[in-house]
Amino acid sequence: MRRSGLHRQHGKQGAGGGGVGAKGIYAKLTIAVVVLLICTLSLLFSATIGGNRGSLEPSEINAEELWESAKSSGWRPSSAPRSDWPSPPRETNGYLRVRCNGGLNQQRSAICNAVLAARIMNATLVLPELDANSFWHDESGFQGIYDVEHFIQTLKYDVQIVESIPEIQKNGKTKKIKGYQLRPPRDAPIEWYTTVALKKMQEHGAIYLTPFSHRLAEEIDNPEYQRLRCRVNYHALRFKPNIMQLSESIVDKLRAQGHFMSIHLRFEMDMLAFAGCIDIFNPEEQSILKKYRKENFAEKRLVYKERRAIGKCPLTPKEVGLILHAMGFDNSTRIYLAAGELFGGERFMKHFRDLFPRLENHSSVDSSEELVTNTQGLLGSAVDYMVCLLSDIFMPTYDGPSNFANNLLGHRLYYGFRTTIRPDRKALAPIFIDRENGRTEGFKEAVRRVMLKTNFGGPHKRVSPESFYTNSWPECFCQVSPKNPADKCPPDNVLEVLDSRLENKVTSDPETLAEKNSTSRTEG
């Protein structure tokens, strides 16, 4: 109907209403201009309001509230099995040896993968070997860092574990099984272990996987397998008593004066060389970084300005201080620094120290000989890990390829959604670049606006490239009153059930019964 009316109107104007048509056009143009003006004013007004809201929103960051754990939304950690989970059979397919390379936290992930690989192949796991790597020059080994008895006992429902491959008697001679050496593909799928690796294990009685870092795919479509990883990482892998006591002592001393924050300040030679962020250093320092990069990393063209603009450079100590200051933390904030030797010396720390003078590290809090002599080894890294885990707030300054930061983010999430501050380096880069170029107006508001969009440690969906070890939600969490039945928490007595099954399996095993009867006859 409307279309035919318009046609009739145009017809009248064309037939002889020229003056009327001109007036009509003029009226329409006037209305259009008015409408356009109103729209423009409306947009400007909206932009002004939006701008004002943007400057007001950052003030919603309340530094005091961040000292408390993040909201859990009804979730709690749980890595106990939620479906039928048979205990490991007495007879396995052979022995699995692995050599975990890298630093303490890369080795930690490898140990989790080793346990899962043993479960997948129905293998007996030999206590994992820790590489005495070239960076730390530390030969502590698994027994020197972790509580072996606790490790084996905690995983008794999952895999059989021995400290070494036992010797066998064959033709009246004692013989030691030699593991067939294999190099697993990076991020190998489960199928590789159930075919290639298992075949060699059955042929030789044992296999030796080396190197063993990132050698099992992280994303596995089996929640029970993922929960096993969490049982290893957050329950079975407990540091030796002396390390736990030392860490708790440091935490007690720090907390005696109130809340404290831990920061993993990854402004170290290896990470700066890896990232290619060298232009801020003097010629001599640049030469050191270039040499280290050439010797340790693949050749690649890296342009500092390009890397910096997209957030690929570790935050400088000064930038870390400015972020915290913009968020509302003041010079009374107590900060524990977990870091190796900072590259570039004290000149890079000065501004940070001016803003936050209450800085500590494990040596300043506890000057015991045990730490002083092992501060750069696995012991120092283990103590830093525990203090960061137990701190009220944790902030990694470079969580890209940093196993320390990524593992801690996951552990703190599992440990009750403890607050983390994860700077979005890509979003912050242009703000810092503007500041360096003299455009300082609105700096704090811009930083707060970015930080408001970050996750402060609550449950959130895992999105690639985020690692399972950084975020094991939802597989390793549950809800008491879930909307989805799959998220329901397992019964409280789940371990008792598993214990009962394991006991029944042992007592019903013919070989075990024979041993018991033999013992009874001897004692009688």
Side-chain angles (χ1 to χ4, degrees), residues 65-78 234 388-394 408-421 455-461 470-480 489:
E65 290 180 359
L66 292 179
W67 293 113
E68 305 298 327
S69 295
K71 292 179 181 179
S72 68
S73 303
W75 291 90
R76 66 178 178 83
S78 174
Y234 308 133
C388 289
L389 174 63
L390 298 172
S391 64
D392 300 294
I393 297 173
F394 171 62
L408 265 167
L409 289 168
H411 205 155
R412 287 178 64 85
L413 193 76
Y414 190 85
Y415 198 64
F417 304 105
R418 301 174 80 83
T419 299
T420 56
I421 297 175
N455 181 281
F456 287 114
H460 61 283
K461 185 178 180 181
T470 302
N471 179 12
S472 59
W473 185 88
E475 294 96 332
C476 296
F477 295 82
C478 67
Q479 287 184 309
V480 178
C489 290

Side-chain angles (χ1 to χ4, degrees), residues 17 41 52 72 132 231 270 304 358 365 368 424 439 444 518:
L41 290 171
N52 290 338
S72 68
R231 289 198 291 281
D270 62 325
Y304 169 72
R358 301 184 70 190
V365 180
S368 62
D424 182 342
R439 295 187 287 275
K444 287 186 179 180
S518 175

Side-chain angles (χ1 to χ4, degrees), residues 90-195:
R90 184 178 176 85
E91 293 296 326
T92 63
N93 288 317
Y95 294 91
L96 172 63
R97 285 179 60 203
V98 298
R99 182 176 66 84
C100 306
N101 55 305
L104 180 70
N105 290 281
Q106 185 168 306
Q107 292 171 357
R108 190 182 185 100
S109 301
I111 294 166
C112 298
N113 287 342
V115 172
L116 180 52
R119 174 75 189 198
I120 290 167
M121 293 190 291
N122 180 27
T124 298
L125 178 67
V126 181
L127 208 63
E129 300 168 20
L130 304 188
D131 183 24
N133 63 81
S134 57
F135 185 79
W136 291 113
H137 302 290
D138 193 304
E139 298 183 5
S140 301
F142 194 102
Q143 294 90 336
I145 295 293
Y146 295 109
D147 186 330
V148 174
E149 185 178 345
H150 176 79
F151 180 75
I152 295 173
Q153 183 66 17
T154 304
L155 297 171
K156 65 182 180 180
Y157 311 113
D158 304 303
V159 291
Q160 288 195 38
I161 303 173
V162 295
E163 294 196 38
S164 60
I165 299 178
E167 296 177 334
I168 60 170
Q169 294 290 329
K170 194 171 183 180
N171 300 327
K173 294 182 180 179
T174 301
K175 184 181 179 183
K176 192 169 184 178
I177 302 173
K178 290 185 178 180
Y180 180 87
Q181 189 167 320
L182 277 172
R183 185 185 180 96
R186 188 178 176 87
D187 300 319
I190 288 176
E191 291 72 27
W192 184 85
Y193 288 91
T194 56
T195 54

